[in-house]
Amino acid sequence: MKRNERDEMAKPEIGSPSSPTLSASAHSTLEDDTAMIDTSYNPTRGTEARQPATGPGAPAQNGAAKPNLLDQLGGPWGMVLSGLPVIAFVVANALVALPVAIGIALAIAVGITVVRMIRGERFSVAIGGVFGVVVAGGIALWTGSASGFFLLGIWVAFAGAVVTLASLIARRPITGVVWNLMHGGKHAWRQDRKTLRVHDIATLAATAVLAARFVVKQWLFDIDATGWLATAKIAMGTPLTALVALVVIWAFRVSTKRLVGTK
């Protein structure tokens, strides 16, 4: 009986320093459990997949709205600025000599260019209005008539109407030609009836606007109605350009969906 009691007293307790084997096993189990706890929850896990994509091909973020067509054309502010040199020329021409009126229009065009550059537009885009006023003013001086200030726009409208109409007659609408060139020139877009039809519509819209500009402005030029020429230039300028651009963009999207998106 005493011997059994001594044997019981000699047994080491679990976890005591006198039982190194059991202690090591317990510590190993504790470390494994800790590792499982540490790796079972990671607050940063998956954040890489949830991060918004960036780069040229990334979709626009919720807070970054894609600019619409009106914004790309300069918006209402851009439409107002584009008409100021013309208005200034007509008003000044009624008060001062033709060369002075041209100089005033040119000065305003330069000022608008500076404003547009301050607003972040590229110089090559902002300076276009100055070149237009310089050429128009030169033609007005050459003809000796204030109506000559609008001859450039009349000629451009006539040339554009002829080119777009010729492309329709040749069954090669110019908007389709441009779209194909933008996509490597390797698509048989004329063999797809729907694609050809939408480009017929887009090119016809451009032809109609250009022809209308020519007819109206040429008639006003013939009767020497300088004030009405200015009105027609502004009213038939950016607003009609925006409408045609909408039709062309629609034709481009249809073509891309049918000929590029299916590949």
Side-chain angles (χ1 to χ4, degrees), residues 49-63:
R50 294 194 298 268
Q51 292 298 325
T54 57
Q61 302 300 319
N62 294 335

Side-chain angles (χ1 to χ4, degrees), residues 25 59 72 78 101 150 172 179 187 197 208 216 251 260:
S25 175
Q72 296 175 3
F150 303 94
R172 287 174 173 79
W179 176 89
H187 297 282
R197 183 166 61 251
V216 172
V260 179

